[in-house]
Amino acid sequence: MMFVRLLRRDTVVQGIELYIAVIPVSIAIAIGLALYLIWRITRMDPGTEKMKQIHKAIRQGSHAYLKRQYKVVLAILSLITVVLYFLIDYTHNLGVPYVALSFMMGTVSSLLAGYVSMEAATRANVMAANAARRSQTKPLSIAFQGGLVLGITVVAMSLLGVAGLFYLYWAANGWRNVEKIPELIMGYGFGASLAALFAQLGGGIYTKAADVGADLVGKIEAGIPEDDPRNPATVADNVGDNVGDCAGRGADLFESISAENIGSMIIGGGLFMATQNMFFLLYPIIARAIGLIATIFGAMAVRPKENEAPIASLRKGLIVSTILIAIALYFATTQMLGPHSELLYYASLTGLIAAIAIEVVTEYYTGEHKPVKEIAEAARTGPATNIHIGLSVGMEATALPIILVLIALAASYVLGTQYGQLTGIDPHTGGVYGTVTATIGMLSLTGIILAMDGYGPIADNTGGIIEMSGVEEVSSETLDALDAAGNTTKALAKGFAMGSAAMAALLLFQAYVDIVKIDIFNLIMPSTLIGLIVGAMIPFLFSSQAIKAVGRAAQKMIDEVRRQFREIPGILEGKNPPDYAKCVEISTMAAQKEMIAPSLIILVSPIITGLLLGPIAAGAFLIGVTASGIMLAFTQNTAGAAWDNAKKILEKIGEKGSEQHKATVVGDTVGDPMKDTAGPSIHVVLKLVNNVAIVFGALFLLYALYLVP
Amino acid sequence: MMFVRLLRRDTVVQGIELYIAVIPVSIAIAIGLALYLIWRITRMDPGTEKMKQIHKAIRQGSHAYLKRQYKVVLAILSLITVVLYFLIDYTHNLGVPYVALSFMMGTVSSLLAGYVSMEAATRANVMAANAARRSQTKPLSIAFQGGLVLGITVVAMSLLGVAGLFYLYWAANGWRNVEKIPELIMGYGFGASLAALFAQLGGGIYTKAADVGADLVGKIEAGIPEDDPRNPATVADNVGDNVGDCAGRGADLFESISAENIGSMIIGGGLFMATQNMFFLLYPIIARAIGLIATIFGAMAVRPKENEAPIASLRKGLIVSTILIAIALYFATTQMLGPHSELLYYASLTGLIAAIAIEVVTEYYTGEHKPVKEIAEAARTGPATNIHIGLSVGMEATALPIILVLIALAASYVLGTQYGQLTGIDPHTGGVYGTVTATIGMLSLTGIILAMDGYGPIADNTGGIIEMSGVEEVSSETLDALDAAGNTTKALAKGFAMGSAAMAALLLFQAYVDIVKIDIFNLIMPSTLIGLIVGAMIPFLFSSQAIKAVGRAAQKMIDEVRRQFREIPGILEGKNPPDYAKCVEISTMAAQKEMIAPSLIILVSPIITGLLLGPIAAGAFLIGVTASGIMLAFTQNTAGAAWDNAKKILEKIGEKGSEQHKATVVGDTVGDPMKDTAGPSIHVVLKLVNNVAIVFGALFLLYALYLVP
């Protein structure tokens, strides 16, 4: 109320209460809906005793992992909180430890969002499995609802955190320097991105160690099928789907939108000062809130029908949401940002269009189209040629999405400069705000994309539970259709996550520029060049360590599965159950141990660059990481998904077991840590390095050694 | 004489004739020595009738390839010459068509250097094979002498071209604007780099199509050993060693040193104008000439002894050459560049030291050390884990070499700025000249490194001829020792080529900056960012197309080998000879066809960027290509060599034929097009994009559309 009064005094826009009110309303609707969906799912019938048992094992495994992960993460993050307090809040006499506090809030919110999503996913899986015994459409509905909990919780929690912190600091400090708030709460984005790296990298190591271990010993050595209950690693494999795809991607996108919100507000702060229109500051969070509501309505369009492919139903949800978001953004933008703001609306559309276009390109490269067919065909001459073509497809797939992102960036910048010229704002500032609105447009899709993405691991689990519990009423067509849709939505979500990470990283770079107040990063100076090239090296070093981590963790899993096959009598005849918990524990411990070193590289390298070479080199470092990171992530994500689907194509035409199929299994396994560990973790890396630089930028300005001019 | 008089008038240095005279003297010594070595090798005894036959087939194949390649290349390059003439020389009223002429000279010199080297290599192979029947040390000597022809011819031809053009233009135009000559002859570097791309990419496609084809059908399907005369692709495989490793790498480094010479002189021109010391202009070519003489003396240290590993003898040559070059550079630098020039000498040492350090790192990652052993060990659980660890090693191996190059860059720049401060030259200009001397220092090693590199394919061929002709007197230890040394020298040469390509590319970027006369390339402007990110994408797109090209070419070879096995009666019993010529033809035609599209990407993309977005974006594009290209090349070169050697480790301990060994064969085949086609071609790409931008820079300034600010 006080807040609202303040705004009315300071701004030219009428009815601002209405806009601000959208934020708490949207959060309330979203969290209410999420809780309702969880409650409704929980009340369903989980099926046979065997199903309940398996389900319990998966839930226990997921909880065990989260508990362990949260312990490690909270320990590390508490340490960092203390460091931040002394290095930044204390030395800068900020009074209230804004940065340390918001950092802590960011990590806790991210962990909480992950927890809620996992709860929904690990409940929905068994309900969908049981529903599949009687209906073709019901399991799809349940899995999508589980995914929707992930999508809206992540967006709502991020909004709650950013808007809440904004409100709290404003409440404590009054309206003076309100435009400085985003800079003070930048720790939130940093905390969220560090939690996201642990979630994505740890989850990625977990899931692929279990997957590779289960496949190499179970499928290849012992010759038992996927998800066979005799395989000791099979529960860990299903847990992995949840912790890697569900919690990991959730944390990744939680971070994208949090970072984007704060970065946008940092940049908007400057425009607010210039125009006295406070909406430049608040537009990012209000637009996010409106997008959240549009997403909830869009999700209602997912109404599975008999004789319709599941992916078609899901796609309807995406299309309707996109249209609703485009309409909502039109009203929000033109109402809030004053005359000529339709230019900024067009800028936001470029982001939305780029996101959809990236989805189409991703689908082309990873779906059943020419590239994947060529990979399958190349397997005729063995695994090596299969891998050649897969790698080649992965590298080729960088071109179009990058060009789409860059076109959105260019077009939105140009629209923003025109807006600036028409309204008397500095054209470059206007241009940067144009790119901000493009990023907002793109990220408005986060909720619905995450809902579709969350569907994937739930559908995987559904299949797993049905296989493991020996339920036979479910037709293999129903299962295959569920599974195929999940693979597609996962690939789409990764394409989106990558595109939005690129946009978010470039936006964060602009926020960094604002914070260090340097306006020339000149490539002909050696320190700039050195920073950039070191930055370009980091994603390679990181990927290398991530893949090796999966290799080491998988080796432990392989040894354990072999040991159980050897030592537990009658295990392969199904007489004695395997020790699932032991495998879950191995994956859990390995993930915790292996995620530390690669994360440290990412955390420390921007700080070292900044302190040795200065803030300009650090800025160039960020661009280097972004430029090479985008390519490496697209390459790894696409190649991995394409290899996977090349294998599936052969299975569909009954080639399972042939030499050609075996060659594609090698390709699929090669791609596993690329597409589910290294690739998606790079999305987080892009944003994390920027967040680190934003938080430590002030220190670079004070203490840099400037070893090279 | 007139030239010498001119210099005496204009400069402060005494005895300048002596320095300039070093250039023709060094060229005469080097070319004389090369011809003498070829003559001596030709007079040797080529051995049995069967050996002569095989040898003749390899020579015919190599000639057929070169002939075909030269036709295609000359056709394309003539076209480009005409385009350059009308676009640049004619429209700029340059009178004499400097750019077009020097472009033509650059290509022809590169082709000629390749031709001489191939002549030496394809003569030395059979002589070394015959010598191996009686001696352990003799074949090593012969193969190294063959390689030495490559090394000194390449350096001498480049020097002849650059210094000759300089002299010719000076002779025609007198001493006015002598500092502008390097800019006028920049077409030489462009021509050499385009010829190099065709040589490296075409050669890489040729050699890997033949290799993969011979291995997959011969070794795996028919179960006959490597280099078996019954395999129709085996002659093509041996021809491939020559055209890929020998002519390809020769053209690559021909281009590096030509581009470096011209780039250095463009930058030196500015310093000459400021100081009136003409040595700033001439130092790069004089230093190269002195280095060439030092290399010839250093090569004399290669005196193979009984009971000494071949690699140890070769290494002695490298060490002695390095020491001699370091001493020679000391006198040259301090005598020519005036007071305080010891700082520039130290700067040149940083390049020399970085080159040697990169060799040590490359040896660690690709030799019989921990990383390669881990790759071999990972093959225990199959090809997928073998490939995981290999990829991981490849990506990790980017870190240290990059840091070494950057330290050399930073240190030499800082030394140069100090030199500038002490001598009253603008510190940045001094710093850039410091990096120039570092590049000169590094590239001084080109001759001896190429000699060692050329040894590799000759030793491969030696083994091939012995196997194919059924000579039995040669112990397998002698053969293995020859072969192992060749693998090491090839990996070292690639590490060196990559490091020097990075230095050369950064130097060419500075030359581009000089030409477009822009001194701010600001990363916060969207067009700069867009140029940079598009640039970073190019090496991925290029690699993708190169690997796919090998895949397609190999497929044709596989079909042909299978056809011959099927249709020629008694071929596998050795009763009827296979049709070697047909396989040679297939590789030749496929290489010509497949090299066009990837080359076009490289040729056209900097021009499009420059014309659409302007010269600043084009400059950022160059840095983007360099930053991501270095990483991708190191990754692919290192992973490929490491997989190859992991396989060899298992063969050494008698694991040949085991499942573990088979898994490493898959890894080796995966690495083939990475390490011998895509990776090394990227070296050329880095320099080619810079050369294109240098030549077209004036057009960007005139006609750019500046679509984005």
Side-chain angles (χ1 to χ4, degrees), chain A residues 50-253:
Chain A
K50 184 80 186 162
M51 287 171 79
K52 281 188 217 162
Q53 267 177 29
I54 306 275
H55 170 236
K56 207 175 142 196
I58 295 178
R59 265 182 75 80
Q60 279 175 345
S62 303
H63 282 139
Y65 170 77
L66 278 194
K67 207 169 147 187
R68 180 84 217 157
Q69 170 109 345
Y70 286 3
K71 261 191 202 162
V72 175
V73 171
L74 285 175
I76 297 175
L77 298 184
S78 305
L79 185 73
I80 296 178
T81 308
V82 175
V83 172
L84 285 180
Y85 172 71
F86 282 106
L87 269 184
I88 300 179
D89 295 316
Y90 182 77
T91 51
H92 289 70
N93 294 316
L94 290 180
V96 183
Y98 297 102
V99 176
L101 258 186
S102 60
F103 174 81
M104 205 67 200
M105 282 273 295
T107 56
V108 172
S109 310
S110 170
L111 297 181
L112 205 60
Y115 180 78
V116 174
S117 314
M118 287 274 283
E119 274 303 302
T122 56
R123 285 168 202 265
N125 55 8
V126 72
M127 307 307 177
N130 190 48
R133 295 165 72 196
R134 276 174 298 272
S135 157
Q136 263 187 44
T137 56
K138 206 75 206 290
L140 171 60
S141 283
I142 297 174
F144 177 71
Q145 283 165 19
L148 189 58
V149 173
L150 169 65
I152 58 182
T153 306
V154 161
V155 178
M157 290 287 296
S158 156
L159 198 51
L160 180 64
V162 175
L165 274 172
F166 191 95
Y167 180 80
L168 284 179
Y169 287 123
W170 170 81
N173 297 282
W175 59 276
R176 254 173 235 278
N177 295 328
V178 72
E179 81 286 353
K180 288 280 169 212
I181 294 179
E183 289 188 28
L184 292 173
I185 64 175
M186 64 198 175
Y188 191 82
F190 179 30
S193 62
L194 203 53
L197 184 62
F198 288 134
Q200 185 71 72
L201 181 60
I205 295 171
Y206 185 108
T207 180
K208 289 302 122 177
D211 191 8
V212 172
D215 285 2
L216 281 184
V217 189
K219 279 207 258 184
I220 297 179
E221 291 182 15
I224 56 179
E226 174 105 30
D227 285 330
D228 191 288
R230 291 168 291 177
N231 191 333
T234 187
V235 168
D237 192 5
N238 276 282
V239 171
D241 290 340
N242 293 312
V243 302
D245 290 331
C246 203
R249 188 103 56 257
D252 176 6
L253 283 166

Side-chain angles (χ1 to χ4, degrees), chain A residues 212 216 374 381 383-385 387-389 391-393 395-396 398-399 402-403 406 409-410 413-414 417 428 506 509-510 513 519-526 528-530 532-534 536-537 540-541 543-545 547-548 551 555 558 562 620 623 627-628 630-632 635-636 666 669-671 673-674 707-709, chain B residues 212 216 374 381 383-385 387-389 391-393 395-396 398-399 402-403 406 409-410 413-414 417 428 506 509-510 513 519-526 528-530 532-534 536-537 540-541 543-545 547-548 551 555 558 562 620 623 627-628 630-632 635-636 666 669-671 673-674 707-709:
Chain A
V212 172
L216 281 184
E374 279 181 358
T381 37
T385 39
I387 290 167
H388 286 157
I389 304 298
L391 263 185
S392 166
V393 165
M395 293 199 279
E396 186 183 306
T398 57
I402 286 305
I403 290 172
L406 294 178
L409 189 76
Y413 183 88
V414 170
T417 53
H428 177 66
L506 294 174
F509 171 69
Q510 296 292 352
V513 169
D519 51 14
I520 294 181
F521 292 74
N522 189 355
L523 278 176
I524 72 166
M525 295 310 293
T528 320
L529 259 184
I530 291 173
L532 186 111
I533 294 176
V534 170
M537 179 264 285
F540 283 81
L541 186 59
S543 292
S544 137
Q545 302 307 306
I547 292 174
K548 212 179 263 176
Q555 196 58 53
I558 289 169
R562 282 184 182 158
I623 296 296
S628 92
I630 305 173
M631 310 304 158
L632 211 49
T635 298
Q636 300 193 74
V666 174
T669 314
V670 167
M674 292 167 71
L707 287 184
V708 184
Chain B
V212 172
L216 281 184
E374 279 180 1
T381 38
T385 39
I387 290 167
H388 287 156
I389 304 297
L391 263 185
S392 166
V393 165
M395 292 198 279
E396 185 183 306
T398 56
I402 287 305
I403 289 172
L406 294 178
L409 189 76
Y413 183 88
V414 170
T417 54
H428 177 65
L506 293 173
F509 171 69
Q510 295 292 354
V513 169
D519 49 14
I520 294 181
F521 293 74
N522 190 354
L523 279 176
I524 72 168
M525 295 311 293
T528 320
L529 260 184
I530 291 172
L532 187 112
I533 294 176
V534 170
M537 179 263 285
F540 283 81
L541 186 59
S543 292
S544 138
Q545 302 308 306
I547 291 175
K548 212 179 262 176
Q555 196 58 53
I558 289 170
R562 283 184 181 156
I623 297 295
S628 92
I630 304 174
M631 311 303 160
L632 210 49
T635 298
Q636 299 193 75
V666 174
T669 314
V670 167
M674 292 168 71
L707 288 184
V708 183

Side-chain angles (χ1 to χ4, degrees), chain B residues 430-513:
Chain B
V432 170
Y433 205 76
T435 64
V436 165
T437 58
T439 314
I440 291 172
M442 183 181 272
L443 282 168
S444 302
L445 288 172
T446 304
I448 188 72
I449 297 270
L450 262 184
M452 292 169 70
D453 181 54
Y455 162 88
I458 298 174
D460 272 2
N461 266 228
T462 302
I465 292 174
I466 290 172
E467 288 288 342
M468 280 190 274
S469 54
V471 170
E472 282 171 359
E473 307 95 296
V474 187
S475 76
S476 65
E477 286 83 46
T478 306
L479 278 185
D480 286 348
L482 276 177
D483 187 50
N487 269 313
T488 309
T489 56
K490 262 191 274 183
L492 293 182
K494 268 183 239 166
F496 175 77
M498 189 58 239
S500 57
M503 293 291 278
L506 293 173
L507 185 147
L508 286 171
F509 171 69
Q510 295 292 354
Y512 172 77
V513 169

Side-chain angles (χ1 to χ4, degrees), chain A residues 614-631:
Chain A
I616 296 181
F621 172 93
L622 302 178
I623 296 296
V625 173
T626 305
S628 92
I630 305 173
M631 310 304 158

Side-chain angles (χ1 to χ4, degrees), chain A residues 633-651:
Chain A
F634 267 122
T635 298
Q636 300 193 74
N637 291 345
T638 312
W643 275 315
D644 192 348
N645 284 332
K647 184 191 73 176
K648 293 217 165 87
I649 283 188
L650 291 184
E651 287 170 2

Side-chain angles (χ1 to χ4, degrees), chain B residues 37-60 62 117-135 138-147 238-239 241-242 454-471 473-474 479 482:
Chain B
L37 287 173
I38 293 180
W39 173 77
R40 212 173 64 172
I41 290 169
T42 312
R43 277 183 54 218
M44 292 176 181
D45 176 14
T48 67
E49 268 318 300
K50 183 83 185 158
M51 288 171 77
K52 281 186 214 163
Q53 266 177 30
I54 306 274
H55 170 236
K56 206 177 144 197
I58 296 178
R59 265 182 75 81
Q60 279 174 345
S62 303
S117 313
M118 286 275 283
E119 274 302 302
T122 55
R123 284 169 201 263
N125 54 8
V126 70
M127 307 307 175
N130 190 47
R133 295 164 72 195
R134 276 174 298 272
S135 157
K138 206 72 207 290
L140 171 60
S141 282
I142 297 174
F144 177 72
Q145 283 165 18
N238 276 281
V239 171
D241 291 340
N242 294 310
Y455 162 88
I458 298 174
D460 272 2
N461 266 228
T462 302
I465 292 174
I466 290 172
E467 288 288 342
M468 280 190 274
S469 54
V471 170
E473 307 95 296
V474 187
L479 278 185
L482 276 177

